[in-house]
Amino acid sequence: SAASDVYKRQVDELPFPMTMVVEARLGRYDVVKRLAKYCVGCSKCVGKCPVGISPPSVAGSVNVLLKKRKAL
């Protein structure tokens, strides 16, 4: 099924959405913003993540953070 294949997907030859979460943890928010455009917000990845991280929420939070930084 598509849900079981969620971590087999790739963007730029990197595992997606796992790479987006790792880049956020490393503070590389520009990379997260670039990768976020590939997220459709279906949240299938949340059910597959062993710790329950929501990549769509991570992407949304990064966008808010970057907008706030830009406003300063």
Side-chain angles (χ1 to χ4, degrees), residues 4-21:
S4 64
D5 293 336
V6 71
Y7 282 108
K8 294 179 183 174
R9 296 190 176 117
Q10 294 185 338
V11 173
D12 297 334
E13 299 182 21
L14 299 170
F16 181 82
M18 185 172 39
T19 299
M20 189 167 61
V21 173

Side-chain angles (χ1 to χ4, degrees), residues 14-69:
L14 299 170
F16 181 82
M18 185 172 39
T19 299
M20 189 167 61
V21 173
V22 170
E23 294 295 341
R25 289 190 57 129
L26 295 173
R28 298 179 187 150
Y29 304 129
D30 55 326
V31 177
V32 176
K33 185 173 181 174
R34 182 177 59 80
L35 293 173
K37 66 184 173 188
Y38 298 101
C39 176
V40 296
C42 69
S43 296
K44 288 181 181 178
C45 51
V46 179
K48 299 300 289 180
C49 179
V51 294
I53 294 173
S54 170
S57 295
V58 169
S61 297
V62 165
N63 281 330
V64 169
L65 175 69
L66 292 175
K67 285 180 184 177
K68 286 182 179 181
R69 283 185 175 178

